[in-house]
């Protein structure tokens, strides 16, 4: 067995620190004596060394070594046969045991995403011919394209994932989030649904999340409830979390908290959605519960945005805005797509008087979650804080037209109308409509009270 084969075995066994030390020494030996290892062995050593660096989260260094490995592989492909090694046993044939060049490029793309160099990640994956792209490569490309706003390319990549793996549910959600019709997505899974028993729920699941991504909260809630009540899917944490989020979007905070609590009881290590849960608790003044939740989440993982957002909510509602700003920024650093982190940081900036900076964060939140009303509420509050009533009115009207005439959008539009004496009568009409739809909607009740006080003080 050659020394390179020993390195390969240690890499397969997960002995990353050992691989790093030995491969580093062997690469130095190769540099001092280029004839010591064959081209294929040099390629293997570079890949295994880069993999060990990747495991140690030294992503920039790993990219450098992966690049050297690809250059070595390119030179190797020009050689019809491997030169024999001078210091080792008989070499393994070139066609065997060599790390996949495609896998090396995927690892490079992973490094670039960790370094927040998404353009470089896309470039390296784009260089892989379409026929050679594995499902995980297409999935990464789809997510990167989506983040970069290249929606058509993202849809194509998600569809390719589903063609290869028709039960890739996250790819399904990706397509639905890009406005692909639920019926079209369902048709891509129909064969597998019909051929495997106990998968009849999947078409209903797709329908439910199609409603989620079109902002139809009521039908989404009803459809997920019908799924959750089925005996085989009862007490599913993901479905409960989705219900909690939908109730939150619909302004039903009581039921939202209830569903989050149910999900948390079923999975005490749950992190997803806990940022929204913490925000709701903070809004209700349950700051001790928020503090306990934050501590529990940090004990689970400090590498997710959620614990930082929860702690930030505790600081924000304790009126420690500078601390909330720091915690929100830290959460965004960990997950730039965290809507709740953007809203937290935006609210902290607004309350610190840095309204223009806050506007940037609320706009980004709207881009990421165009169906979430609270993103628009934050932006409109910024416009009102800077006396930009015209911009606030335009935005409120757009939300009203886009998300439909429900109690929340009616109240939001009325909130802006209250700022101008000329439109206060319109505010009354809007609030009456909102309270007719939902007599228990607290925001509408509060705004109606404000309107009555304004009339009394005239």
């Amino acid at each position: 067995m050659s020394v390179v084969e020993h390195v390969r075995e240690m890499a397969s066994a997960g002995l990353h620190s050992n691989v790093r030390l030995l491969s580093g020494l062997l690469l130095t030996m190769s540099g001092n004596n280029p004839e010591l290892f064959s081209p294929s062995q040099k390629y293997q050593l570079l890949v295994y060394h880069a993999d060990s660096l990747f495991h140690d989260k030294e992503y920039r260094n790993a990219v450098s070594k992966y690049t050297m490995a690809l250059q070595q592989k390119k030179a190797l492909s020009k050689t019809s046969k491997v030169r024999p090694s001078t210091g080792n046993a008989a070499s393994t044939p070139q066609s065997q045991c060599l790390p996949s060049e495609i896998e090396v490029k995927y690892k490079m793309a992973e490094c670039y995403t960790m370094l927040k160099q998404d353009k470089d990640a896309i470039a390296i994956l784009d260089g892989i011919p379409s026929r050679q792209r594995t499902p995980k490569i297409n999935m990464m490309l789809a997510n990167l394209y989506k983040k970069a706003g290249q929606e058509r390319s993202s849809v194509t990549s998600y569809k390719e994932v589903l063609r290869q793996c028709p039960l890739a549910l996250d790819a399904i959600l990706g397509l639905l989030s890009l406005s692909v019709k639920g019926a079209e997505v369902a048709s891509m899974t129909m064969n597998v649904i019909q051929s495997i028993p106990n998968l009849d729920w999947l078409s209903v699941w797709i329908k439910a999340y199609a409603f989620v991504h079109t902002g139809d909260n009521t039908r989404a809630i009803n459809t997920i409830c019908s799924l959750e009540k089925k005996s085989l899917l009862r007490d599913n944490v993901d479905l409960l979390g989705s219900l909690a989020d939908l109730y939150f979007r619909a302004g039903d905070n009581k039921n939202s908290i209830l569903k989050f609590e149910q999900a948390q009881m079923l999975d005490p290590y749950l992190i997803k959605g806990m940022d929204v849960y913490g925000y709701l608790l903070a809004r209700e003044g349950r700051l001790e519960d928020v503090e306990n939740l934050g501590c529990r989440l940090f004990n689970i993982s400090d590498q997710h945005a959620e614990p930082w957002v929860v702690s930030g909510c505790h600081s924000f509602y304790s009126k420690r805005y500078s601390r909330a700003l720091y915690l929100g920024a830290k959460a965004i650093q960990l997950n730039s797509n965290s809507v709740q982190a953007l809203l937290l940081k935006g609210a902290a900036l607004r309350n610190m008087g840095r309204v223009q900076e806050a506007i940037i964060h609320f706009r980004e939140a709207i881009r990421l979650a165009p169906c979430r009303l609270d993103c628009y509420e934050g932006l409109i509050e910024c416009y009102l804080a800077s006396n930009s009533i015209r911009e606030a009115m335009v935005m409120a009207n757009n939300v009203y037209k886009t998300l439909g005439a429900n109690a929340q959008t009616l109240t939001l539009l009325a909130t802006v109308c209250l700022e101008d004496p000329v439109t206060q009568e319109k505010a009354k009409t809007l609030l009456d409509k909102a309270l007719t739809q939902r007599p228990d909607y607290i925001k509408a009740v509060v705004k109606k009270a404000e309107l009555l006080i304004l009339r009394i003080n005239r």
Side-chain angles (χ1 to χ4, degrees):
M1 183 184 286
S2 72
V3 69
V4 175
E5 288 172 320
H6 279 287
V7 173
R8 185 192 310 126
E9 283 204 350
M10 288 194 294
S12 298
L15 300 176
H16 304 292
S17 61
N18 298 275
V19 170
R20 177 171 181 171
L21 283 169
L22 182 55
S23 61
L25 291 167
L26 295 175
L27 286 169
T28 300
M29 289 168 61
S30 177
N32 289 325
N33 183 358
E35 299 300 317
L36 192 61
F37 297 108
S38 69
S40 67
Q41 289 175 322
K42 290 177 187 175
Y43 168 67
Q44 291 176 74
L45 287 173
L46 284 164
V47 172
Y48 297 138
H49 190 66
D51 286 346
S52 66
L53 293 168
F54 180 89
H55 183 265
D56 286 343
K57 300 182 180 179
E58 296 183 27
Y59 302 115
R60 208 171 295 280
N61 196 358
V63 165
S64 171
K65 298 303 185 291
Y66 282 131
T67 302
M68 292 169 65
L70 289 176
Q71 290 168 348
Q72 182 68 37
K73 184 68 164 61
K74 191 175 181 180
L76 177 60
S77 64
K78 295 177 181 178
T79 308
S80 58
K81 62 180 181 180
V82 182
R83 290 174 296 172
S85 169
T86 61
N88 297 287
S91 299
T92 304
Q94 181 179 336
S95 61
Q96 297 176 9
C97 300
L98 290 183
S100 162
E101 187 177 347
I102 303 301
E103 184 66 22
V104 169
K105 290 181 178 180
Y106 178 79
K107 282 283 184 67
M108 283 185 74
E110 281 191 305
C111 289
Y112 282 131
T113 57
M114 297 305 294
L115 294 167
K116 302 189 186 304
Q117 297 174 218
D118 291 350
K119 287 184 180 179
D120 293 316
I122 291 173
I124 196 74
L125 295 178
D126 263 340
I128 301 172
S130 298
R131 290 184 179 180
Q132 295 180 25
R133 292 176 189 171
T134 60
K136 69 177 181 180
I137 289 172
N138 280 311
M139 190 69 189
M140 182 183 278
L141 263 176
N143 290 332
L144 287 167
Y145 283 139
K146 181 182 174 184
K147 191 175 177 182
Q150 300 178 45
E151 294 190 1
R152 184 176 297 177
S153 297
S154 182
V155 166
T156 301
S157 294
Y158 279 131
K159 285 183 176 179
E160 188 58 28
V161 174
L162 279 183
R163 187 187 68 78
Q164 297 167 301
C165 302
L167 292 180
L169 299 190
D170 200 32
I172 288 174
L173 292 178
L175 286 171
L176 294 174
S177 72
L178 292 169
S179 302
V180 178
K181 299 293 184 184
E184 181 183 349
V185 176
S187 69
M188 300 175 74
T189 65
M190 196 57 65
N191 288 338
V192 72
I193 291 174
Q194 292 173 348
S195 62
I196 299 176
N198 297 318
L199 272 186
D200 54 307
W201 54 266
L202 183 54
S203 57
V204 182
W205 186 92
I206 293 171
K207 183 180 179 183
Y209 285 96
F211 288 139
V212 170
H213 288 289
T214 56
D216 193 339
N217 296 326
T218 302
R219 286 205 281 182
I221 288 169
N222 291 337
T223 309
I224 291 179
C225 280
S226 73
L227 271 177
E228 211 270 325
K229 286 175 183 175
K230 288 188 176 181
S231 58
L232 290 176
L233 290 176
R234 187 178 295 125
D235 292 339
N236 177 265
V237 172
D238 288 324
L239 290 178
L240 285 170
S242 294
L243 271 178
D245 190 58
L246 285 164
Y247 280 125
F248 165 65
R249 294 186 190 193
D252 188 347
N253 294 345
K254 182 179 177 181
N255 270 321
S256 179
I257 290 173
L258 179 65
K259 293 300 177 184
F260 275 129
E261 287 173 347
Q262 287 179 10
Q264 192 179 213
M265 287 177 66
L266 288 166
D267 183 0
Y269 298 102
L270 180 65
I271 290 180
K272 184 181 178 182
M274 290 295 100
D275 48 354
V276 175
Y277 178 49
Y279 165 71
L280 288 172
L281 294 178
R283 279 193 58 175
E284 290 200 346
R286 295 166 57 179
L287 294 184
E288 187 176 344
D289 291 336
V290 177
E291 188 174 17
N292 291 336
L293 176 63
C295 291
R296 186 176 66 80
L297 292 175
F298 273 119
N299 285 332
I300 297 170
S301 171
D302 62 357
Q303 295 303 304
H304 289 75
E306 285 85 349
W308 299 90
V309 172
V310 170
S311 292
C313 288
H314 182 275
S315 296
F316 183 85
Y317 282 92
S318 301
K319 298 185 178 180
R320 292 181 292 160
Y321 302 124
S322 296
R323 175 74 177 163
L325 177 62
Y326 162 74
L327 293 166
K330 178 64 178 177
I332 292 169
Q333 186 181 352
L334 289 167
N335 180 5
S336 59
N337 290 330
S338 171
V339 174
Q340 212 59 39
L342 287 164
L343 294 178
L344 170 65
K345 190 178 176 187
L349 287 166
R350 182 192 63 224
N351 284 21
M352 293 169 70
R354 295 159 61 178
V355 176
Q356 293 307 311
E357 292 175 73
I359 286 173
I360 293 169
H361 287 76
F362 286 120
R363 283 176 176 165
E364 177 63 9
I366 290 169
R367 186 187 73 81
L368 292 170
C371 292
R372 277 188 57 169
L373 189 75
D374 52 337
C375 300
Y376 298 98
E377 287 175 336
L379 182 57
I380 287 172
E381 285 174 18
C382 285
Y383 286 144
L384 295 178
S386 57
N387 291 318
S388 302
I389 296 176
R390 185 170 176 274
E391 286 87 345
M393 187 64 76
V394 169
M395 178 59 69
N397 273 308
N398 286 340
V399 174
Y400 178 77
K401 291 172 184 175
T402 305
L403 300 185
N406 55 54
Q408 292 169 281
T409 56
L410 287 164
T411 303
L412 183 60
L413 184 55
T415 300
V416 181
C417 291
L418 279 173
E419 298 296 317
D420 188 346
V422 177
T423 55
Q424 284 179 3
E425 192 59 38
K426 183 181 178 182
K428 179 184 180 301
T429 303
L430 292 167
L431 290 170
D432 287 342
K433 286 182 180 179
L435 289 169
T436 300
Q437 287 189 21
R438 279 185 58 185
D440 61 341
Y441 187 48
I442 299 298
K443 285 187 179 180
V445 174
V446 170
K447 290 301 172 183
K448 184 70 180 286
E450 288 179 12
L451 177 62
L452 295 172
I453 290 169
L454 284 172
R455 290 185 166 184
I456 291 169
N457 292 335
R458 277 181 185 174

